[in-house]
């Protein structure tokens, strides 16, 4: 719930609850931009969903990890989305 709520609080992101250990997130910015920027500036890799053509380039997937890793992801996303 902590990761879901953190993602939901970020502007332009809409997470979907999942039954597995990952969350699908709809993004206003292109998922490729989010993926490349997050990797470049924070060394965090997220999975784009381009292999699912029906989703397009506005969705990405993140794994639910430890509390510290989830906080690092949320901080990185917050920094790149706020700029």
């Amino acid at each position: 719930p902590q990761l879901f709520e953190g993602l939901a609080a970020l502007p332009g992101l809409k997470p979907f609850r999942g039954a597995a250990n990952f969350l699908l997130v709809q993004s206003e910015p292109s998922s490729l931009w989010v993926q490349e920027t997050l990797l470049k500036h924070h060394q965090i890799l997220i999975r784009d969903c381009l292999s699912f053509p029906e989703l397009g380039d506005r969705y990405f997937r993140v794994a639910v990890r430890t509390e510290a890793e989830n906080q690092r992801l949320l901080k990185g996303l917050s920094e790149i989305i706020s700029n």
Side-chain angles (χ1 to χ4, degrees), residues 21-41:
N21 68 334
F22 64 87
L23 297 172
L24 179 67
V25 182
Q26 184 178 15
S27 172
E28 285 182 14
S30 160
S31 63
L32 285 177
W33 177 85
V34 174
Q35 183 184 50
E36 290 172 1
T37 307
L38 198 56
L39 184 59
K40 180 179 178 182
H41 295 284

Side-chain angles (χ1 to χ4, degrees), residues 9-81:
L10 293 174
L13 298 182
K14 179 183 175 188
F16 295 89
R17 295 198 185 273
N21 68 334
F22 64 87
L23 297 172
L24 179 67
V25 182
Q26 184 178 15
S27 172
E28 285 182 14
S30 160
S31 63
L32 285 177
W33 177 85
V34 174
Q35 183 184 50
E36 290 172 1
T37 307
L38 198 56
L39 184 59
K40 180 179 178 182
H41 295 284
H42 298 281
Q43 295 73 51
I44 298 172
L45 182 62
I46 60 172
R47 184 183 189 278
D48 66 58
C49 292
L50 294 174
S51 59
F52 303 99
E54 61 277 3
L55 293 179
D57 73 340
R58 301 292 175 182
Y59 290 85
F60 61 87
R61 196 171 86 173
V62 295
V64 177
R65 309 285 300 233
T66 67
E67 184 175 347
E69 290 171 319
N70 291 344
Q71 285 302 317
R72 184 170 170 249
L73 171 65
L74 291 171
K75 183 178 181 214
L77 283 169
S78 177
E79 287 178 13
I80 67 168
I81 288 174

